[in-house]
Amino acid sequence: MTPSKNSQQHGNEIKTLMILGASGDLTARLLLPGLASLISQGGAKGLELVGAGYDEWSQDKWREQVKKSFDDSSGGDGAAIGKRAQHALDAMAKNSSYHQVDVTAEGALSDVLKSVKHPVAVYFALPPSITEKACDLLNADDLPEHTRFVMEKPFGSGQESARKLNKTLETLLPENHIYRVDHFRGTGTVLNILGLRFANHFLEPVWNMRHIEKVEIFFDENITLEGRAGFYDSTGALRDMMQSHLLQIMAFIAMDEPATLDERDVRDRIAEVMRAAEVGSDYSKTTRRARYTAGQIGDRKVPNYVDEPGVDGKNNTETLAEIEVDIKNSRWTGVPFILRSGKSLGKDKMEVIVTFKPIPHLPTGFTGTPTATRIRMGVGPAKLQLDIDVNGPGDVYSLDRAELKAELNDSNLLPYGEVLKAVLTDNAMFFVRGDTAVECWRIIEPVVKAWADNDVPLEEYPAGSNGPEDWETTREETPL
């Protein structure tokens, strides 16, 4: 069924941001600071903030939480962001309102939606199961004109639930006003990758299986659970990061050139990559998982994961995941895309490493050992490094490693500030399309099952280390 009231939404300015799950950790730790960074840069003018949650919060408690999160995002120093920005933040916090609501109760969410200024962007900062129930209870007539939905990852809990949720949403809103969040691939990250790929003539002829040996995508973090055991212990690194963030980055690295940067052109190319991608079925060779034990990160002592508050050791939850994805098309067949993400590691490492194949022959007379040419692209911070062999100082016949570095465009916004900016400016390109969300689950679900069946051993690594010593991706490297 095609929605009628919401079919012509483009260009309508959002008046209200409503956060469902307003009393939760995601809102306080990420969403509100992200909104503060956007306001501090002059964005979100005239926007009203409304919180809605299951908890029985007073208006004062909600406003205090908003102000605290806003202050934390700027270090509590109004001078650092300017008087005008501080005034805008204070005004939003003071004028914000909170609604206690059970979104799984018939008519409850509809009533709140109708009580706020329209158009409204509704941010579902809720677990997938609650989001699905809330959407099931809505119909197109419940939504004010030009409503936009922002769906926090993970989108659904598997391939079937994602497909079902897509069908529900189709009856409510057009696809380009359903924003499935993947904050890792913010505006800057996406455009940096596309600029490198398609604005440099020398790269495209070698960006394929004839010249590239492997592509590695890292998202290693030195943070631990940060009080989120309730979410993380039932999700793990595979579903938390691979299913959305890292597969999306992989698609931007692997995609063919889009005709334009229009959201349809770009997202069509992403979908093509996802449909061709799969993890090899011998999961003991194509996937790895591990869990951290007690250790130290800087001056922080970290307990064994199973001893963390809220963790159930019987879940066998992985805190470090690695998968090898094959993209079965003429450009990439035979090139492994190795995706890795984990927590409680020794250092943050958020980058893409493209390793080229060895040269077929080095002219006799050169000394030194030739090493593979590599492109390293940081996604946090945004940097580029080209590792090549050149004639070193001293002996002109000796080859030495050189690192050519460049700074890339980096956003002044926090990751969720970029998310909210894209929603408010109606830019769907930076979000996951419905069909792609289902394909991501198709790629990941067989691995989820294999791990649940213990077909792949759960290894261990000390907190503060780089991971299990025998993993090739654990190698020591200077961060970008």
Side-chain angles (χ1 to χ4, degrees):
M1 175 175 131
T2 302
S4 55
K5 292 195 305 179
N6 290 286
S7 58
Q8 300 294 326
Q9 297 188 26
H10 190 81
N12 290 282
E13 184 180 355
I14 292 297
K15 302 295 185 185
T16 302
L17 172 64
M18 177 185 291
I19 301 176
L20 307 182
S23 54
D25 173 75
L26 174 66
T27 299
R29 192 169 56 87
L30 294 173
L31 265 177
L32 291 176
L35 178 59
S37 74
L38 178 57
I39 294 169
S40 299
Q41 297 297 317
K45 290 181 179 178
L47 185 72
E48 294 192 4
L49 174 65
V50 173
Y54 187 78
D55 293 319
E56 189 176 352
W57 278 21
S58 66
Q59 299 298 329
D60 286 343
K61 184 172 182 177
W62 165 243
R63 289 166 183 160
E64 287 170 5
Q65 178 61 72
V66 174
K67 188 175 189 314
K68 181 179 184 305
S69 293
F70 283 0
D71 288 345
D72 288 348
S73 71
S74 61
D77 183 5
I81 61 172
K83 290 183 178 179
R84 182 174 296 179
Q86 188 62 52
H87 176 75
L89 291 170
D90 291 342
M92 178 170 280
K94 180 180 178 181
N95 296 322
S96 182
S97 61
Y98 179 84
H99 297 260
Q100 183 186 6
V101 59
D102 178 2
V103 297
T104 64
E106 185 79 40
L109 178 55
S110 173
D111 290 343
V112 177
L113 282 170
K114 291 173 181 176
S115 72
V116 303
K117 285 186 180 179
H118 312 148
V120 55
V122 185
Y123 199 112
F124 288 79
L126 300 167
S129 59
I130 303 300
T131 295
E132 291 172 45
K133 290 178 183 177
C135 291
D136 282 340
L137 292 173
L138 292 171
N139 59 64
D141 291 334
D142 292 326
L143 303 183
E145 281 192 291
H146 316 307
T147 297
R148 301 173 195 173
F149 278 5
V150 191
M151 318 298 287
E152 181 59 39
K153 58 97 180 171
F155 182 80
S157 54
Q159 193 175 171
E160 286 306 314
S161 69
R163 190 175 285 113
K164 178 178 179 293
L165 183 53
N166 277 338
K167 288 181 178 179
T168 299
L169 292 172
E170 285 173 5
T171 68
L172 303 174
L173 301 167
E175 171 60 36
N176 68 342
H177 276 77
I178 303 165
Y179 298 79
R180 298 169 188 83
V181 171
D182 175 18
H183 74 263
F184 178 36
R185 61 184 189 107
T187 309
T189 298
V190 170
L191 295 179
N192 283 338
I193 293 174
L194 296 183
L196 176 69
R197 285 281 321 275
F198 302 120
N200 295 287
H201 185 76
F202 77 97
L203 275 181
E204 185 59 21
V206 298
W207 207 259
N208 54 56
M209 48 85 69
R210 296 177 186 84
H211 301 279
I212 291 177
E213 183 175 273
K214 63 180 176 180
V215 178
E216 298 167 295
I217 303 173
F218 292 84
F219 202 89
D220 288 1
E221 298 179 283
N222 65 11
I223 62 172
T224 56
L225 294 184
E226 311 296 320
R228 299 174 67 228
F231 164 77
Y232 197 85
D233 196 48
S234 61
T235 305
L238 180 67
R239 283 179 286 190
D240 183 35
M241 296 298 295
M242 302 291 182
Q243 181 271 336
S244 55
H245 303 326
L246 272 65
L247 284 175
Q248 295 295 322
I249 290 294
M250 179 194 79
F252 278 100
I253 294 295
M255 67 192 280
D256 287 340
E257 180 183 1
T260 73
L261 294 183
D262 178 78
E263 59 93 9
R264 180 175 177 180
D265 287 341
V266 173
R267 300 206 292 184
D268 280 349
R269 292 304 196 190
I270 292 171
E272 290 171 2
V273 173
M274 292 304 182
R275 288 195 296 270
E278 64 179 37
V279 179
S281 59
D282 188 349
Y283 301 117
S284 63
K285 293 181 179 178
T286 58
T287 73
R288 285 177 157 177
R289 60 177 180 150
R291 183 170 66 189
Y292 69 80
T293 58
Q296 188 155 335
I297 303 174
D299 58 359
R300 292 180 293 153
K301 289 187 176 180
V302 180
N304 193 321
Y305 175 79
V306 297
D307 296 327
E308 294 268 26
V311 167
D312 183 352
K314 295 178 182 178
N315 289 341
N316 284 337
T317 301
E318 78 286 349
T319 59
L320 176 62
E322 181 176 306
I323 62 173
E324 183 177 309
V325 182
D326 295 325
I327 300 174
K328 296 189 173 182
N329 60 24
S330 59
R331 184 189 285 265
W332 293 114
T333 292
V335 178
F337 282 73
I338 300 165
L339 282 52
R340 165 180 153 141
S341 179
K343 294 188 182 296
S344 293
L345 294 154
K347 57 192 175 186
D348 288 339
K349 183 178 182 181
M350 303 169 189
E351 65 174 325
V352 177
I353 301 177
V354 179
T355 301
F356 289 83
K357 291 182 176 180
I359 56 172
H361 172 70
L362 181 69
T364 302
F366 279 116
T367 60
T369 304
T371 48
T373 301
R374 299 196 312 174
I375 292 176
R376 296 177 63 186
M377 188 173 189
V379 295
K383 296 183 179 182
L384 181 68
Q385 178 173 307
L386 177 63
D387 296 343
I388 57 174
D389 289 335
V390 298
N391 301 73
D395 184 356
V396 72
Y397 290 98
S398 177
L399 296 175
D400 292 323
R401 197 65 162 169
E403 298 172 350
L404 309 181
K405 298 182 179 182
E407 300 286 331
L408 301 177
N409 181 277
D410 214 350
S411 175
N412 293 323
L413 298 175
L414 293 174
Y416 275 84
E418 287 197 310
V419 167
L420 293 172
K421 180 181 179 180
V423 171
L424 297 176
T425 57
D426 198 17
N427 194 339
M429 187 186 87
F430 303 102
F431 296 82
V432 181
R433 201 167 68 187
D435 58 335
T436 303
V438 174
E439 289 295 329
C440 288
W441 278 118
R442 177 192 60 77
I443 296 165
I444 291 297
E445 271 191 322
V447 183
V448 172
K449 184 178 186 306
W451 289 7
D453 294 341
N454 288 317
D455 293 341
V456 177
L458 181 63
E459 302 178 54
E460 294 183 336
Y461 62 98
S465 70
N466 289 338
E469 292 183 0
D470 63 338
W471 292 22
E472 199 277 332
T473 51
T474 296
R475 63 185 183 270
E476 185 69 32
E477 279 184 316
T478 303
L480 283 180

